Amino acid sequence: MERTFAIVKPDAVKSGKAGQILARIEAAGFTIRGMRLQHLSLKEAEGFYAVHAARPFFGELTQFMSSGPCVLLCLEAPDAIKKWRDTMGATDPAKADAGTLRRDFGMSIGNNATHGSDAPETAAFELGYFFRGMEL
Ligand code: GDP
């Protein structure tokens, strides 16, 4: 078993798609181990995306991630990190495969509905950033 960190981003919560995305998460075979609705502050979003601080879209990304509530999730499954990345699809919804969450719910490369950790080290950092051990 493996755990990964996921977010239903503010665009998807705002447009009323969180329930559909959670249903797809369960249908895909993930167990939800942690879940919380939270409106991130700009500082919290900047800390979360610190690895992207030098990227040109950092300001846009952190403004967007702090623009409204999102759903923070700890998901568990065999090979959960890769499985969740596959379930989400490519970063740019226009390039994501049919049947993926970003293809179905994302609007643009910035407003792409979901986040997922990309490696065991980032999953450990991201889960620890948002959840206390006791909550999981
Ligand atoms: P991910 O791992 O698939 O989420 O993609 P990255 O780690 O490359 O980027 C992190 C997040 O930054 C993405 O999910 C997008 O929301 C956002 N992002 C990536 N590229 C761009 C871009 O060119 N413009 C904007 N506005 N956001 C971007």
Side-chain angles (χ1 to χ4, degrees):
M1 274 299 168
E2 186 175 63
R3 288 179 174 185
T4 192
F5 177 70
I7 304 180
V8 180
K9 292 186 177 182
D11 56 329
V13 173
K14 204 170 290 175
S15 63
K17 304 298 185 196
Q20 286 181 54
I21 292 174
L22 291 170
R24 295 263 294 260
I25 286 171
E26 292 183 324
F30 293 97
T31 300
I32 297 173
R33 290 289 179 206
M35 178 163 65
R36 188 167 75 248
L37 185 77
Q38 187 167 333
H39 188 154
L40 303 184
S41 68
L42 181 61
K43 283 256 179 275
E44 287 164 343
E46 286 172 349
F48 175 63
Y49 278 117
V51 290
H52 291 315
R55 302 254 207 131
F57 56 82
F58 183 69
E60 205 176 316
L61 172 61
T62 53
Q63 289 283 347
F64 162 63
M65 289 301 290
S66 57
S67 67
C70 57
V71 182
L72 309 172
L73 292 155
C74 172
L75 303 181
E76 187 175 82
D79 205 14
I81 295 170
K82 180 180 186 306
K83 182 179 166 74
W84 176 237
R85 299 284 299 183
D86 291 346
T87 304
M88 290 196 301
T91 308
D92 183 351
K95 294 180 183 150
D97 289 342
T100 61
L101 292 172
R102 282 168 162 173
R103 173 69 169 266
D104 292 345
F105 298 107
M107 302 306 292
S108 64
I109 193 164
N111 292 20
N112 60 358
T114 56
H115 165 86
S117 310
D118 61 1
E121 307 74 52
T122 43
F125 166 76
E126 294 176 356
L127 285 169
Y129 189 80
F130 286 116
F131 290 105
R132 286 175 292 133
M134 205 173 80
E135 292 176 276
L136 305 177

